[in-house]
Amino acid sequence: MTKSPEQLEQELKRRSKAAKLEIWGRVVSFSALILIVAVVVAIIGFVASKGIATFTTNHVNLWDFLSGKNWNPSLTDAHGKPEVGALSMIVGSFLITILSAIVATPFAIGTAVFMNEISPNRGAKILQPVTELLVGIPSVVYGFIGLSVVVPFTRSVFGGSGFGILSGTCVLFVMILPTVTSMSADALRAVPRYYREASLALGATQWQTIYKVVLRAATPGLMTAVVFGMARAFGEALAVQMVIGNAALMPHSLVDPAATLTSVLTTGIGNTVMGSLQNNALWSLALVLLLMSLVFNLIIRLIGRKGRLQ
Amino acid sequence: MNSKVQNKIAIGVLYGIAGLVVLILLALVGYILVSGLPKVSWHFLTTPAKAFLKGGGIGVQLFNSFYLLILAMLISFPIALGAAIYLYEYAKDNWVTNLVRTAIEILSSLPSVVVGLFGFLFFVVKLRLGFSILSGAFALTFFNLPLLTRSVEDSLHTIDDKQREGGLALGLSRWETVTRVILPAAVPSILTGVILSAGRVFGEAAALIYTAGQSAPALNFMDWNPFNISSPLNPMRPAETLAVHIWKINSEGIMPDAKAISSGSSAVLVIAILLFNLAARYLGKRLYKRLTSA
């Protein structure tokens, strides 16, 4: 049977099997990408819409929420307003994050320098796998060790119940140490070799080279590592919740029980009724947490951009 | 002279810092293993937990952890693979790609408790899945996607561009080049990445407390019909994982041997993650030797 010219033309103009497969592949892989973006948008959208309900449906003043010191959403104060002051938790979260970053940074950067500059063979061989393993240890395990080692220790040394910001800081310090160390090591590794050679050839000592050349050149990367560790500390929930004591009070000392945004969220959200003020107030805390993680993200991007320009 | 002394002091201090860090880390792992390992026995690993009496095990929790991990990987791996392929092989460097990369970065930096709360709101309440393995698996998927996507992308990055050029020069389409040439070559490093992120997901608890639930109903291990309520395979049952179990008995546990159980469970978790790490290295090397002529 011969084909008519029209049929032939159609056949020739039709997409080949490979071309169809190509389009199919593009569509499938692109939809996977879209799905991820949709997930992010959905998370932010849902948490935001639940989080602002406190202010839109329950008419809580935003400033009262951010600056109030009394957290007791089921009660109302003398003026008949609900007691939803989140300041003590916000302060708790920031305090614990900043303190643990201050303690962890010198250790992390020192270890990274040791791994990269001083003992790149033997030291790195031990430290590299150890940090990699520790990055993977679950946070509940850190929390459990905090509960059975750190809390009794602070109790016996500093008095009080042992639960508090100090214990939380100790636990978070060990938690973020491996993360910050391995990221700092990456940053140092990215410094070109000839920087060091040039400095040493000029007669600088090893320490002068490290301090004045390598660390300076790696500063953006090191800052990213520290901010990354802070973001992790700020969002960490369970390990902190287990050792901080979970009392939503303004922290007066480092050994008094305190609370963070995450600890109040994990303990509270299961005990409230959906849609009630108590529940909405907790979602507002989740929104604060989300916004802070976006801020940390932004800071990391800004550091990256500034680092590139130099 | 002065700067030489300074040099000596500084390097001494750095030795001290590194030594101290190693000491902290060794003490940490040592404490977990020394306090936990004596509690680990076959009985402990296989019997169900008891709520009020001592002597309970972690059998159900251990099973739940693995089942949840496998489900979450089954859901998230294809998505991450597709996304990574598009990002690395197709995407142009424009604002859309930029936006997508930002979104992935945001997802990876979200606190896991926020991901868990979203899972609670969306899967448990909105879609009425209840506290179930399925809700938990979806929440873990969110947690897992950015990690996996990045690691698959890194794996694609390690494949030489000559292989792509070769595929295209032979007249294969881009998609065919990716699926027939690039992916097979990338299998060892993709697998390594998958196992490593499996290790991270295995210990996740915050995202699971309000999605997979905090209770572990008794299971009948003779019943493998996924539609029966007591079947271990039923994805609609609530499932407390090992990590959640540790958190729960430390926060509100009332069994008399809560501390022993949590140290035993911690040791099991850490050993599991150690095994994941070793398996990733070993399998990656083995497969690489097998699949390439190297």
Side-chain angles (χ1 to χ4, degrees):
Chain A
M1 210 176 91
T2 53
K3 287 172 182 167
S4 69
E6 290 83 33
Q7 262 178 324
L8 262 177
E9 195 191 337
Q10 243 181 1
E11 231 163 76
L12 285 173
K13 279 188 177 168
R14 207 167 45 206
R15 283 206 176 96
S16 72
K17 225 176 167 183
K20 273 186 195 154
L21 194 67
E22 170 73 19
I23 294 174
W24 187 83
R26 244 174 206 266
V27 169
V28 166
S29 56
F30 188 68
S31 22
L33 206 62
I34 292 300
L35 191 68
I36 296 183
V37 178
V39 162
V40 178
V41 173
I43 292 180
I44 296 177
F46 266 85
V47 175
S49 74
K50 287 292 272 183
I52 59 171
T54 317
F55 313 111
T56 52
T57 41
N58 304 107
H59 304 292
V60 172
N61 187 324
L62 177 64
W63 182 243
D64 288 347
F65 175 77
L66 290 178
S67 67
K69 291 176 189 159
N70 297 320
W71 177 260
N72 214 334
S74 50
L75 300 178
T76 48
D77 63 8
H79 307 287
K81 285 185 189 160
E83 292 189 349
V84 284
L87 188 64
S88 57
M89 274 119 18
I90 296 174
V91 169
S93 276
F94 272 104
L95 210 56
I96 206 165
T97 303
I98 292 168
L99 283 177
S100 59
I102 288 176
V103 184
T105 303
F107 283 98
I109 293 181
T111 312
V113 167
F114 183 82
M115 267 159 71
N116 254 305
E117 313 292 327
I118 294 180
S119 180
N121 293 322
R122 236 172 4 140
K125 225 170 230 166
I126 305 169
L127 283 165
Q128 190 83 34
V130 172
T131 40
E132 268 169 34
L133 169 69
L134 285 164
V135 170
I137 289 190
S139 59
V140 280
V141 173
Y142 283 105
F144 166 64
I145 293 175
L147 204 56
S148 48
V149 179
V150 179
V151 169
F153 180 77
T154 43
R155 185 188 300 144
S156 64
V157 175
F158 300 99
S161 64
F163 292 97
I165 290 184
L166 188 65
S167 303
T169 304
C170 289
V171 169
L172 277 182
F173 152 64
V174 183
M175 270 188 87
I176 65 173
L177 185 60
T179 317
V180 183
T181 304
S182 71
M183 285 182 75
S184 305
D186 286 343
L188 293 179
R189 210 166 297 135
V191 177
R193 211 184 130 83
Y194 54 79
Y195 279 31
R196 300 179 182 90
E197 284 163 358
S199 165
L200 291 172
L202 285 172
T205 61
Q206 195 178 10
W207 170 244
Q208 282 167 335
T209 306
I210 292 169
Y211 186 70
K212 299 231 162 105
V213 178
V214 179
L215 285 182
R216 292 286 149 88
T219 301
L222 296 176
M223 277 162 68
T224 310
V226 174
V227 177
F228 198 86
M230 285 173 75
R232 194 170 169 203
F234 198 87
E236 176 47 47
L238 301 185
V240 174
Q241 184 262 327
M242 283 157 94
V243 299
I244 198 161
N246 299 308
L249 307 164
M250 252 338 243
H252 288 294
S253 81
L254 294 183
V255 289
D256 284 340
T260 61
L261 294 165
T262 49
S263 76
V264 172
L265 265 177
T266 28
T267 44
I269 205 109
N271 307 324
T272 55
V273 182
M274 267 290 187
S276 63
L277 169 69
Q278 292 93 311
N279 190 268
N280 288 343
L282 286 172
W283 281 102
S284 305
L285 297 184
L287 182 60
V288 175
L289 202 60
L290 180 88
L291 291 177
M292 268 320 293
S293 97
L294 293 181
V295 169
F296 279 121
N297 213 298
L298 200 71
I299 295 175
I300 290 175
R301 294 198 139 227
L302 286 180
I303 295 173
R305 195 167 298 161
K306 231 182 161 185
R308 238 201 338 262
L309 281 178
Q310 281 167 353
Chain B
M1 177 62 201
N2 198 8
S3 64
K4 270 190 182 164
V5 172
Q6 214 178 19
N7 187 41
K8 277 216 170 111
I9 294 173
I11 287 175
V13 169
L14 282 172
Y15 261 95
I17 289 179
L20 204 61
V21 168
V22 172
L23 217 63
I24 294 176
L25 304 184
L26 280 183
L28 190 72
V29 177
Y31 179 82
I32 298 170
L33 295 182
V34 168
S35 71
L37 273 185
K39 272 96 186 176
V40 179
S41 64
W42 183 245
H43 176 81
F44 179 69
L45 290 177
T46 51
T47 45
K50 289 178 180 164
F52 308 107
L53 303 169
K54 60 186 280 179
I58 52 168
V60 178
Q61 282 80 10
L62 201 57
F63 176 83
N64 286 343
S65 292
F66 278 108
Y67 188 36
L68 198 57
L69 174 68
I70 292 170
L71 264 189
M73 278 295 169
L74 284 180
I75 302 171
S76 51
F77 180 68
I79 303 174
L81 186 67
I85 288 177
Y86 195 89
L87 269 181
Y88 194 75
E89 306 285 341
Y90 287 111
K92 296 183 196 81
D93 192 16
N94 55 18
W95 68 271
V96 182
T97 314
N98 235 328
L99 186 82
V100 171
R101 286 195 189 279
T102 313
I104 293 177
E105 242 166 65
I106 289 176
L107 189 59
S108 75
S109 69
L110 284 183
S112 59
V113 59
V114 170
V115 175
L117 286 177
F118 170 76
F120 171 66
L121 194 65
F122 191 69
F123 298 114
V124 177
V125 178
K126 272 258 153 67
L127 298 185
R128 299 178 187 213
L129 293 176
F131 290 123
S132 65
I133 292 193
L134 209 54
S135 308
F138 283 129
L140 280 189
T141 296
F142 288 0
F143 186 73
N144 206 4
L145 273 179
L147 294 173
L148 264 184
T149 308
R150 198 171 301 157
S151 89
V152 175
E153 225 192 315
D154 285 345
S155 310
L156 293 177
H157 185 75
T158 57
I159 305 300
D160 202 332
D161 270 342
K162 282 185 185 127
Q163 302 238 39
R164 294 185 178 85
E165 286 160 12
L168 294 174
L170 286 171
L172 295 178
S173 69
R174 239 162 204 270
W175 181 251
E176 281 171 321
T177 312
V178 172
T179 50
R180 310 260 169 85
V181 181
I182 307 299
L183 282 186
V187 162
S189 70
I190 290 180
L191 194 75
T192 311
V194 168
I195 298 177
L196 284 179
S197 44
R200 291 227 17 216
V201 174
F202 190 72
E204 175 56 33
L208 290 177
I209 291 176
Y210 292 112
T211 50
Q214 306 172 38
S215 61
L219 298 178
N220 177 6
F221 279 94
M222 305 310 268
D223 181 359
W224 293 99
N225 179 354
F227 297 104
N228 289 353
I229 189 71
S230 62
S231 161
L233 288 185
N234 186 339
M236 298 310 289
R237 64 187 170 86
E240 183 192 41
T241 64
L242 201 53
V244 174
H245 191 58
I246 299 177
W247 174 75
K248 205 182 163 211
I249 56 183
N250 276 302
S251 316
E252 48 195 53
I254 35 179
M255 57 273 262
D257 56 349
K259 196 166 171 196
I261 293 177
S262 17
S263 46
S265 313
S266 299
V268 172
L269 265 185
V270 169
I271 290 172
I273 283 155
L274 194 68
L275 287 179
F276 276 122
N277 266 296
L278 291 176
R281 274 162 205 266
Y282 177 75
L283 272 178
K285 260 187 209 151
R286 256 319 267 288
L287 272 176
Y288 184 76
K289 269 196 186 143
R290 264 226 155 139
L291 295 176
T292 61
S293 49

